[in-house]
Amino acid sequence: MVAMKDASSCVMPPREAAAFIAESAKDVKILPDGVEKLAHHLADVMGKNKHKVNENQLPDFNPKTADRAAVDWVFFIDTLNFSFWSEDERRAFTVRHRGRDLTGYFSLCAAVNRSLEAGVPLTDPAYYSTLTLEKLREHLRGEDGGEMPMMQERLANIREAGSVLVEKFSGSFLTCVERSNKSASCLLRLILDNFPSYRDETTYVGRRVALWKRAQILVADIWLCCEGKGHGEFHDIDTLTMFADYRIPQALVYFGVLEYSQELLDLLLKGHLFQSGDRKEVEIRGASIWAVELVLSKLRALLQTEGAAGVHVNAVMVDFYLWDLIKAKTAEGSSQLPFHHIRCIYY
């Protein structure tokens, strides 16, 4: 992935940054045996078509047609796609929609769709660029008066993003997609240059590093929503890395790919609240990106050996699979692994 221009010109992009962070890390290790184990697991699952990307992610929430409205829906969702964990999971923020109680990321999707079905043009940049906090709270309300975390920050994100789209991109994120000329890296550059809330960057060991979780997942979500065709056709989708959040590291620990120092593990078990840019937090995220790169390299070699070289795999597919898996394991109680807690707009 090429370095970004303008605001990001001196920043190490995620793949390069991840290698640097993993090599320098003091509290997170990547274990070769775990890389091997996960690669073999993924070769069995993906090489034999036992799993389809996004099959477990309640696809009925996603737009049914890959048009302008769908692209604007994805952009709106991903501009708000951060910090859904609850201090007390027994009282998690919940949205009831079509007979189901949804939490986490899906509570956002449910709340947005509920408003759209009620005739509110919530995903129209012209509407949300001037939205008030009171109205946003009404649109994203939970059951029993519950409220999503960081509502002030969510409002700031969408008002800023909506204003940029109205002023520079004809009032739709589709214009950005069209200007990318079917290039994921070009669309990523447009996002980072024009939407400040997506610039997930920090300083680590004296170097400016980028992780770009939401910016990359926005490109990937357009790709997935459009099934890699039309607006979602990107010839370089494999340039994206995995999306460094708090769930994928949990999955990598589950498979023995990552190992934490005792000091870090103690903090996680205590529910320590990290700050964005804390050294340990950056090491968890950076090492996760590099670990997936190592897994991918091994996975592709295994598929070649097993006669499945034609099977397309990339970091996006691995990320979505691991996210689905660890959510399911956590929900069923078979994984009690801690994850790092943080309140920030980047994930």
Side-chain angles (χ1 to χ4, degrees):
M1 189 181 297
V2 296
M4 299 294 110
K5 298 177 181 178
D6 300 332
S8 304
S9 59
C10 298
V11 181
M12 267 195 240
R15 188 170 283 106
E16 181 185 345
F20 170 68
I21 293 166
E23 182 180 354
S24 308
K26 296 180 180 179
D27 287 278
V28 185
K29 290 182 181 178
I30 299 174
L31 303 180
D33 287 349
V35 170
E36 184 91 11
K37 176 184 176 182
L38 179 53
H40 277 276
H41 173 83
L42 293 172
D44 180 60
V45 171
M46 295 180 175
K48 297 177 182 176
N49 293 316
K50 295 180 181 178
H51 177 83
K52 296 292 188 298
V53 175
N54 225 20
E55 68 177 2
N56 295 328
Q57 299 215 14
L58 297 182
D60 53 314
F61 279 133
N62 295 335
K64 301 299 183 291
T65 55
D67 55 10
R68 170 177 172 151
V71 170
D72 282 333
W73 184 93
V74 171
F75 179 78
F76 183 81
I77 290 289
D78 282 344
T79 302
L80 296 176
N81 185 6
F82 58 88
S83 199
F84 294 111
W85 59 272
S86 300
E87 284 84 357
D88 183 352
E89 290 298 330
R90 295 169 298 181
R91 301 179 59 189
F93 175 80
T94 303
V95 172
R96 186 170 299 127
H97 184 244
R98 296 187 180 180
R100 286 183 296 189
D101 287 341
L102 288 310
T103 61
Y105 166 78
F106 296 123
S107 68
L108 171 62
C109 297
V112 170
N113 285 357
R114 178 185 60 196
S115 291
L116 291 173
E117 290 163 10
V120 178
L122 186 54
T123 57
D124 181 349
Y127 178 77
Y128 62 75
S129 63
T130 60
L131 205 58
T132 65
L133 182 59
E134 181 182 16
K135 274 295 182 182
L136 183 62
R137 281 174 167 154
E138 178 185 333
H139 296 323
L140 301 185
R141 67 190 181 280
E143 302 309 308
D144 303 320
E147 182 173 295
M148 270 182 209
M150 303 184 73
M151 287 298 292
Q152 290 278 2
E153 291 82 356
R154 294 182 195 279
L155 178 69
N157 273 20
I158 60 171
R159 287 186 59 133
E160 173 189 79
S163 296
V164 170
L165 289 177
V166 169
E167 294 167 11
K168 299 177 65 174
F169 297 103
S170 304
S172 175
F173 187 67
L174 180 59
T175 303
C176 296
V177 175
E178 291 173 340
R179 290 184 187 178
S180 73
N181 295 315
K182 301 185 185 301
S183 168
S185 58
C186 182
L187 182 55
L188 183 61
R189 187 158 54 242
L190 279 167
I191 295 165
L192 294 166
D193 285 349
N194 291 284
F195 302 96
S197 76
Y198 280 87
R199 293 178 199 147
D200 177 11
E201 301 165 1
T202 190
T203 300
Y204 177 78
V205 194
R207 299 293 300 275
R208 195 69 183 165
V209 296
L211 300 168
W212 294 338
K213 185 267 182 181
R214 283 199 301 112
Q216 291 197 99
I217 205 171
L218 171 54
V219 178
D221 281 346
I222 298 294
W223 178 65
L224 289 168
C225 179
C226 300
E227 299 181 338
K229 298 176 288 188
H231 302 313
E233 181 183 352
F234 301 114
H235 61 79
D236 56 349
I237 192 67
D238 291 356
T239 59
L240 300 182
T241 69
M242 60 79 76
F243 319 121
D245 65 357
Y246 50 86
R247 283 298 187 191
I248 303 302
Q250 191 182 25
L252 293 172
V253 171
Y254 176 82
F255 277 99
V257 178
L258 293 185
E259 180 181 71
Y260 297 152
S261 69
Q262 190 60 52
E263 180 183 351
L264 175 54
L265 186 58
D266 288 343
L267 288 173
L268 297 177
L269 290 170
K270 293 175 184 176
H272 175 76
L273 186 64
F274 291 88
Q275 300 298 311
S276 183
D278 283 352
R279 181 180 60 79
K280 290 180 174 62
E281 181 252 357
V282 175
E283 289 184 2
I284 290 172
R285 300 181 73 204
S288 295
I289 293 173
W290 192 241
V292 169
E293 291 298 308
L294 297 176
V295 168
L296 262 176
S297 178
K298 181 64 179 178
L299 171 59
R300 287 168 176 152
L302 285 172
L303 292 174
Q304 182 83 31
T305 301
E306 296 172 3
V311 175
H312 181 219
V313 293
N314 59 29
V316 177
M317 299 163 72
V318 171
D319 182 288
F320 275 77
Y321 174 77
L322 292 177
W323 195 90
D324 281 338
L325 182 142
I326 201 63
K327 284 286 288 183
K329 294 290 183 185
T330 302
E332 71 187 21
S334 59
S335 173
Q336 300 298 323
L337 292 169
F339 60 84
H340 67 284
H341 290 81
I342 186 169
R343 291 290 184 207
C344 71
I345 67 170
Y346 301 120
Y347 64 101

